[in-house]
Amino acid sequence: MSNSLEVDFLAVGNGEKSGDAIAVRWGDFSDASKQYVAVIDGGTTESGDALVKLIKETYKTTFVNLVICTHPDGDHSSGLRVVLNELGVGGLWMHQPWDRSDEILHMFKDGRITNDSLEERLRQAYNFAHELQEIAEEKNIPIEEPFAGKVVTGGGAKITILGPSEGTYVSLIPSFAKSPEAKSATETFSAGLREAVNWVKEALHIETLDESGETSAENNSSVVTLLEFDGERILLTGDAGIPAMKNAIYHADQKSISLEKISLFQVPHHGSKRNISPSILNRIKASVAFISAAKESEKHPAKKVVNACIRRNMKVYSTKGQSLRQPYKAPERAGYSTAQEMSFSEMVEE
């Protein structure tokens, strides 16, 4: 099978906190020298170990052609340290906000902040991501920043970055939670509270998901990636929020990139109701939707998000403590069986 493709979403976390750890390989699986491997986010250290185990024992290789860190949050970047340390890597795509300090210094009111202090603050705040840069430099792994319009081909596949644009990314950095802009005490306190859940009724013709969801600047800096191979199209979104997804769709429109006939769509931010909206889902015509969500998470994925995907004829699957695999012209894998498709819920979180 020289045109095989498979996508693995690994389970991340056994508690309530979700994360992403995704591996994709394509090509001739009978010969490791004729296959290509990409890793998109690494989840926690434990899921990083699981990625390495998968690539060594199942993919039968110790080399990853491309690693993409969608954004610097620890639940996406931490496990990639394991991947970079234990495997050969052809290239690392990641943003480096600390290297943008001279471009954003003027955006802060506090005149005591210097270029050096801001750079160091961002390095320490996003230490897992910064460690990726250090490991890559030590191992001579080329680092590139993935912005909209970046395209690479390899092994018959085409990888296109749909977002963010460089300008949008730089404008988001001052709003990162760990940037010098201090949050108010109320905001900090409220962030730790568990939201009360009210339930409302939905039906196939009654949708309560709306356009009002908001998420963090870090999430909205997530890399949105389209991988195309042998007629299959995989859309990976990290933790992108509504504006980030709309910008990605706008970029696709400008470049005449269709977002219809998507083979697999990663629902952003673990299926949060704050990161996706009806207008976005109306533009992405996908047959299958994957959601990375922790086994014990009560809010991920949101039932109204699952319903919204089902309403648009997507088959929806969530990790929830188990790893998911989507094969295309790929041989069967021992130990894997048909996954349980998520069902429509009549009652959803308000």
Side-chain angles (χ1 to χ4, degrees), residues 89-342:
V89 174
L92 170 64
W93 289 6
M94 63 175 291
H95 298 136
Q96 300 153 81
W98 44 85
D99 285 347
R100 300 284 180 164
S101 59
D102 58 336
E103 297 175 62
I104 60 174
L105 186 61
H106 68 282
M107 299 180 184
F108 300 102
K109 294 180 180 179
D110 188 346
R112 295 170 297 178
I113 300 172
T114 66
N115 188 19
D116 289 344
S117 68
L118 178 58
E119 182 176 334
E120 183 58 27
R121 180 169 182 153
L122 290 171
R123 282 177 174 169
Q124 292 184 8
Y126 301 103
N127 58 315
F128 292 147
H130 184 246
E131 282 184 46
L132 297 180
Q133 179 184 3
E134 292 181 319
I135 297 168
E137 289 174 348
E138 183 178 343
K139 297 183 69 174
N140 294 317
I141 299 170
I143 304 174
E144 297 180 52
E145 289 199 288
F147 293 118
K150 188 175 185 61
V151 178
V152 67
T153 57
K158 179 180 180 182
I159 298 174
T160 303
I161 301 301
L162 301 180
S165 69
E166 185 170 3
T168 296
Y169 178 75
V170 173
S171 72
L172 286 169
I173 299 174
S175 299
F176 282 8
K178 296 173 183 175
S179 287
E181 288 289 311
K183 298 181 72 175
S184 73
T186 300
E187 288 175 326
T188 303
F189 179 67
S190 298
L193 292 176
R194 184 184 295 273
E195 294 180 19
V197 177
N198 295 318
W199 297 88
V200 294
K201 189 174 181 59
E202 274 203 349
L204 281 174
H205 65 287
I206 301 174
E207 181 161 65
T208 61
L209 185 69
D210 59 32
E211 305 287 330
S212 65
E214 295 181 354
T215 191
S216 69
E218 287 92 332
N219 287 347
N220 275 317
S221 76
S222 289
V223 178
V224 179
T225 305
L226 177 66
L227 185 149
E228 300 172 273
F229 177 76
D230 195 35
E232 306 295 345
R233 311 177 78 231
I234 313 298
L235 182 60
L236 302 171
T237 60
D239 281 356
I242 292 172
M245 289 301 300
K246 288 185 175 179
N247 284 340
I249 291 170
Y250 176 79
H251 176 79
D253 289 343
Q254 295 300 303
K255 298 297 182 182
S256 300
I257 299 171
S258 172
L259 294 180
E260 298 188 354
K261 297 182 179 180
I262 298 294
S263 309
L264 190 154
F265 167 55
Q266 179 194 12
V267 181
H269 198 199
H270 324 297
S272 170
K273 62 184 180 183
R274 303 183 187 281
N275 292 64
I276 199 75
S277 71
S279 67
I280 293 168
L281 290 172
N282 287 342
R283 290 295 315 278
I284 298 170
K285 310 295 186 186
S287 53
V288 171
F290 271 17
I291 303 174
S292 293
K295 184 177 182 179
E296 304 298 332
S297 177
E298 295 182 0
K299 62 180 181 179
H300 295 152
K303 294 182 185 302
K304 64 171 57 179
V305 172
V306 174
N307 281 0
C309 292
I310 294 173
R311 192 176 284 116
R312 291 165 176 82
N313 300 315
M314 300 183 199
K315 294 181 178 179
V316 184
Y317 303 89
S318 180
T319 52
K320 282 290 185 182
Q322 62 180 352
S323 293
L324 294 173
R325 174 192 183 231
Q326 183 70 28
Y328 302 94
K329 301 178 184 176
E332 294 183 359
R333 185 187 298 174
Y336 280 71
S337 58
T338 303
Q340 181 68 46
E341 189 177 335
M342 298 193 77

Side-chain angles (χ1 to χ4, degrees), residues 17-129:
K17 188 167 179 53
S18 302
D20 283 355
I22 302 166
V24 185
R25 72 165 170 164
W26 63 92
D28 185 350
F29 291 1
S30 67
D31 184 346
S33 68
K34 297 179 181 177
Q35 68 177 11
Y36 286 71
V37 178
V39 170
I40 298 89
D41 288 334
T44 60
T45 301
E46 290 74 19
S47 52
D49 288 334
L51 277 168
V52 170
K53 179 180 174 67
L54 172 78
I55 292 164
K56 284 184 174 179
E57 297 184 1
T58 302
Y59 292 4
K60 305 294 185 186
T61 183
T62 58
F63 185 74
V64 176
N65 299 83
L66 177 63
V67 169
I68 299 176
C69 179
T70 62
H71 64 295
D73 285 350
D75 59 330
H76 294 252
S77 60
S78 178
L80 291 179
R81 298 174 301 166
V82 183
V83 174
L84 264 62
N85 272 322
E86 298 196 16
L87 298 172
V89 174
L92 170 64
W93 289 6
M94 63 175 291
H95 298 136
Q96 300 153 81
W98 44 85
D99 285 347
R100 300 284 180 164
S101 59
D102 58 336
E103 297 175 62
I104 60 174
L105 186 61
H106 68 282
M107 299 180 184
F108 300 102
K109 294 180 180 179
D110 188 346
R112 295 170 297 178
I113 300 172
T114 66
N115 188 19
D116 289 344
S117 68
L118 178 58
E119 182 176 334
E120 183 58 27
R121 180 169 182 153
L122 290 171
R123 282 177 174 169
Q124 292 184 8
Y126 301 103
N127 58 315
F128 292 147

